[in-house]
């Protein structure tokens, strides 16, 4: 929850705007400011104080405990011009909160965390648990000093600065491992979530017995509990208090499997006891193996003093999985690039894309990003390259214009990708939608997009689709309408549509939608000159109901209540 505190009338207005924008996420603290800050600090994960930073510093000073537990705090000035991340920039989420507050109030976010200011990913912001001299290693990264990277495997991390590498000299060391390592000054370790721990427990097993068993088993195997990805067990033990408490104490999820599924898994140490009670000869080992990975710790029992063991565990290590994000960049305008796309671009250590698309977003990439770019006509090669890099364990972004799943890179990439990598799709604003917004509302009813390029699809198939859309009176947006080597397909498609639509049917033509040299016009089916169209153009042909109103294309929704005999149209009806 986010606590909101203000002291003046102007601050209260801004406070209430934020509360209205985030219903259910905020709590307004009234009363004397000092008491309000104290209560919010104790009760909330984050605070937004509409107060001067100096005042907030004095109020917070006696309350501070530890950066790992203190809430994130953002200050907004009286004029609402700045949202300052004052405390807990990374751990408390104040840096991100400052940006979110700025979006609502129109304030400029102020972030002074060194790694953020330098465009270097903070070690505590990489999605992995981290321990050791984080400040010392981060300082070496920022200073450009050599930081030796010691990783057991390739993990899908964001790009690290060039001074962080396996062969780097200098005194700082960054480990990436699930193994226990000795850490001195200027040494830190990132803990990948590589371990799955199978757990079995008798009814009423004490949580401390379960946790103690897991910690001891991992320690003796030289493994860190911070690399546990999840605890796994049989369905019948999903609510066993000791197992549930162990997962909560370790801060990891608990996943369960059906007994018959576990019974089919061959294990080195089966037993008759669990077979009789839960229907499988193995719980800990079978669940661990079901989670996937190499068995590092076979079944092990707890060893309480004076009574029989009530808990068992087994540990597997999973191999790293690369990550492929297929990212749509939108039609070209920077403000139509989605926040999610920006995040994925900054998360990727390898970027694959068409050279002209790479140029659009090159400035958004983190320093150290490997860029693999190529020219037109190399779509399948780019797809194969992106998948191959992901299979090496990297975090890869494969970019495409508009939405990467619409006449773009998602199809060839996913046809190449197997189940051995993680794939994430990031939608983008398509050319058809960007053009439609410029033209007015031409897509107000059923519509279809058809590419007129016959490089990948036989013309006979394309023509059949155009004819079907014409006969069904569906609005059509043509992609790839005309190039130097393909100058007859658009006239042919328009001729087919003309067999079913009047010559005056509105047609919208948009070139370079959302870009600085954007141009658009509304003409008619009879008036469109195909020679004025090229590959950078989107052509939208209306249906028989589409009209030109005040220079804009408008296709009515077509509902019965829109007829002349009914009441006025209801805005926004579904």
């Amino acid at each position: 929850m986010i606590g909101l505190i203000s002291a003046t009338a102007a601050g209260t207005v801004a406070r209430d705007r934020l509360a209205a924008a985030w219903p259910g996420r905020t709590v307004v603290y009234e009363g004397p400011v000092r008491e309000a800050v104290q209560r919010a600090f104790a009760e909330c994960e984050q605070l937004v104080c509409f107060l001067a930073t100096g005042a907030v510093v004095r109020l917070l000073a006696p309350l501070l405990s530890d950066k790992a537990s203190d809430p994130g705090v953002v200050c907004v000035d009286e004029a609402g011009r700045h949202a300052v991340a004052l405390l807990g920039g990374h751990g408390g989420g104040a840096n991100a909160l400052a940006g979110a507050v700025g979006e609502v109030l129109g304030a400029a976010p102020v972030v002074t965390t060194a790694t953020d200011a330098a465009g270097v990913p903070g070690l505590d912001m990489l999605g992995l648990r981290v321990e050791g001299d984080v400040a010392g290693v981060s300082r070496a990264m920022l200073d450009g000093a050599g930081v030796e990277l010691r990783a057991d495997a390739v993990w899908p991390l964001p790009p690290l600065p060039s001074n962080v590498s396996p062969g780097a000299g200098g005194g700082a060391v960054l480990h990436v491992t699930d193994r226990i390592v000795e850490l001195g000054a200027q040494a830190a370790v990132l803990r990948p979530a590589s371990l799955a721990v199978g757990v079995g427990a008798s009814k009423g097993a004490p949580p401390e017995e379960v946790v103690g068993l897991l910690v001891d088993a991992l320690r003796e195997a030289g493994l860190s509990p911070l690399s546990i990805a999840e605890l796994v067990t049989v369905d019948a033990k999903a609510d066993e208090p000791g197992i549930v408490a162990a997962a909560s104490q370790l801060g990891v999820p608990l996943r369960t499997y059906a007994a018959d599924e576990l019974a089919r898994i061959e294990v080195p140490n089966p037993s008759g006891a669990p077979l009789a009670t839960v229907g499988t000869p193995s719980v800990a080992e079978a669940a661990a193996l079901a989670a996937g990975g190499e068995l590092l710790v076979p079944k092990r029992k707890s060893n309480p003093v004076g009574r029989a063991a009530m808990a068992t565990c087994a540990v597997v290590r999973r191999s790293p999985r690369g990550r492929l994000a297929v990212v749509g960049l939108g039609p070209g305008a920077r403000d139509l690039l989605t926040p999610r796309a920006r995040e994925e671009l900054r998360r990727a250590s390898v970027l694959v894309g068409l050279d002209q698309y790479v140029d659009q977003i090159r400035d958004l990439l983190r320093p150290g990003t490997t860029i693999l770019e190529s020219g037109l006509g190399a779509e399948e090669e780019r797809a194969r390259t992106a998948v191959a890099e992901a299979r090496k364990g990297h975090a890869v972004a494969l970019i495409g214009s508009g939405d990467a799943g619409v006449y773009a890179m998602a199809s060839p990439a996913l046809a190449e990708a197997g189940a051995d990598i993680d794939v994430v799709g990031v939608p983008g604003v398509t050319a058809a939608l960007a053009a439609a917004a410029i033209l007015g509302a031409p897509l107000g009813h059923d519509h279809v997009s058809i590419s007129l390029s016959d490089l990948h699809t036989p013309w006979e198939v394309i023509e059949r689709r155009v004819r079907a859309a014409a006969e069904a009176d569906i609005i059509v947006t043509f992609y790839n309408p005309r190039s130097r080597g393909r100058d007859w397909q658009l006239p042919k498609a328009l001729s087919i549509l003309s067999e079913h639509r009047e010559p005056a049917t509105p047609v919208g033509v948009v070139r370079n939608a959302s870009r600085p040299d954007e141009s658009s016009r509304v003409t008619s089916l009879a008036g469109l000159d195909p020679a004025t169209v090229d590959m950078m153009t989107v052509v939208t042909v209306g249906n028989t109901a589409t009209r030109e109103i005040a220079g804009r294309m408008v296709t009515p929704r077509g509902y019965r209540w829109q007829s002349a005999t009914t009441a006025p149209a209801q805005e926004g009806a579904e």
Side-chain angles (χ1 to χ4, degrees):
M1 194 64 69
I2 304 171
L4 306 180
I5 303 104
S6 63
T8 66
T12 299
V13 170
R15 180 202 69 187
D16 292 345
R17 283 178 59 197
L18 201 60
W22 295 341
R25 294 178 56 194
T26 61
V27 176
V28 172
Y29 285 82
E30 304 280 8
V33 172
R34 182 178 297 277
E35 287 78 2
V37 169
Q38 289 174 348
R39 286 187 290 124
F41 193 90
E43 297 169 359
C44 296
E45 291 83 14
Q46 296 176 321
L47 279 69
V48 180
C49 299
F50 296 85
L51 305 164
T53 55
V56 176
V57 167
R58 293 186 183 92
L59 292 170
L60 292 179
L63 308 176
L64 300 181
S65 173
D66 181 81
K67 66 182 295 182
S69 58
D70 289 338
V73 179
V74 170
C75 291
V76 179
D77 64 282
E78 183 77 2
R81 293 176 300 177
H82 302 97
V84 182
L86 184 68
L87 178 71
H90 284 169
N95 291 349
L97 180 60
V101 170
E103 289 182 4
V104 174
L105 302 180
V110 179
V111 175
T112 59
T113 309
T115 50
D116 292 84
V120 174
L123 295 181
D124 54 350
M125 299 296 288
L126 296 179
L128 306 183
R129 296 181 178 184
V130 59
E131 57 183 332
D133 186 5
V134 176
V137 174
S138 298
R139 187 163 51 250
M141 291 169 58
L142 290 167
D143 290 344
V147 178
E148 184 178 353
L149 180 64
R150 300 178 185 173
D152 290 345
V154 177
W155 291 89
L157 299 175
L160 298 173
S162 58
N163 59 310
V164 182
S165 67
V173 180
L174 178 61
H175 301 267
V176 186
T177 180
D178 56 20
R179 298 187 180 279
I180 296 173
V181 294
E182 293 290 333
L183 295 176
Q186 281 199 307
V189 56
L190 292 170
R191 296 297 188 188
S194 57
L195 306 177
V197 181
V199 186
S202 302
K203 185 176 181 179
E208 58 271 18
E209 182 173 347
V210 178
V211 174
L213 170 64
L214 303 187
V215 172
D216 288 346
L218 290 169
R219 184 183 64 250
E220 292 181 16
L223 302 170
S224 170
L226 294 180
S227 281
I228 298 177
E230 61 181 356
L231 300 189
V232 288
T233 190
V234 67
D235 282 348
K237 295 296 178 180
D239 298 320
E240 183 63 43
I243 296 178
V244 173
S248 176
Q249 185 173 329
L250 293 167
V252 297
L254 173 64
R255 184 155 61 106
T256 64
Y257 296 93
D260 58 350
E261 181 180 357
L262 297 184
R264 292 192 294 269
I265 298 176
E266 185 175 345
V267 298
N269 299 290
S271 171
L275 179 61
T277 56
V278 296
T280 172
S282 172
V283 173
E285 281 183 338
L289 291 169
E294 174 192 3
L295 186 63
L296 298 183
V297 179
K299 184 178 78 172
R300 172 173 171 157
K301 295 183 179 181
S302 57
N303 188 26
V305 177
R307 60 172 173 80
M310 297 184 72
T312 60
C313 77
V315 182
V316 297
R317 175 190 284 141
R318 295 166 171 164
S319 299
R321 288 175 62 88
R323 186 176 190 276
L324 174 62
V326 187
V327 182
L329 300 181
R334 179 58 62 86
D335 59 354
L336 292 181
L337 178 70
T338 67
R340 188 179 299 180
R342 288 174 179 262
E343 291 175 7
E344 289 294 346
L345 294 175
R346 293 182 63 76
R347 177 174 180 165
S349 60
V350 178
L351 182 87
V352 182
L354 179 67
D355 47 14
Q356 63 190 55
Y357 297 155
V358 172
D359 288 340
Q360 291 179 23
I361 47 83
R362 196 182 298 270
D363 62 302
L364 298 179
L365 305 177
R366 288 191 186 275
T369 304
T370 298
I371 300 175
L372 304 176
E373 53 188 317
S374 53
L376 287 168
E379 288 81 6
E380 293 183 359
E381 176 189 343
R382 284 194 291 276
R384 287 192 294 268
T385 297
V387 172
E389 291 295 322
R391 284 184 173 139
K392 294 177 185 177
H394 297 300
V396 182
L398 175 63
I399 59 174
S401 180
D403 184 291
V406 179
Y407 301 124
M409 294 304 303
S411 294
L414 269 61
E416 186 76 19
D420 54 339
I421 62 173
D422 296 323
V423 178
V424 177
V426 182
V429 178
T430 68
L433 295 180
I438 295 166
L439 293 170
L443 307 182
H445 213 292
D446 296 338
H447 54 275
V448 64
S449 296
I450 299 177
S451 171
L452 294 183
S453 172
D454 55 4
L455 295 177
H456 301 287
T457 305
W459 175 254
E460 293 77 12
V461 174
I462 297 172
E463 182 174 334
R464 187 166 65 247
R465 292 171 179 172
V466 174
R467 194 171 298 281
E471 293 173 352
D473 196 28
I474 294 176
I475 304 148
V476 182
T477 297
F478 288 123
Y479 280 70
N480 306 312
R482 184 177 180 273
S483 67
R484 292 178 181 177
R486 294 185 301 100
D487 58 0
W488 59 268
Q489 287 88 344
L490 178 58
K492 177 62 176 177
L494 296 175
S495 174
I496 294 171
L497 292 175
S498 296
E499 296 173 11
H500 300 271
R501 301 181 194 185
E502 295 296 325
T505 300
V507 175
V509 181
V510 180
R511 188 177 190 279
N512 285 333
S514 86
R515 300 186 184 186
D517 56 346
E518 167 191 300
S519 64
S520 66
R521 68 185 188 278
V522 177
T523 181
S524 65
L525 193 55
L528 174 61
D529 180 3
T532 63
V533 173
D534 61 14
M535 287 289 285
M536 305 303 294
T537 305
V538 173
V539 177
T540 300
V541 181
N543 66 7
T544 55
T546 304
R547 298 290 182 266
E548 181 179 350
I549 302 174
R552 306 179 187 96
M553 282 183 71
V554 180
T555 302
R557 296 287 295 273
Y559 292 160
R560 287 188 297 274
W561 49 254
Q562 288 184 318
S563 69
T565 60
T566 61
Q570 304 173 27
E571 181 178 347
E574 290 294 335

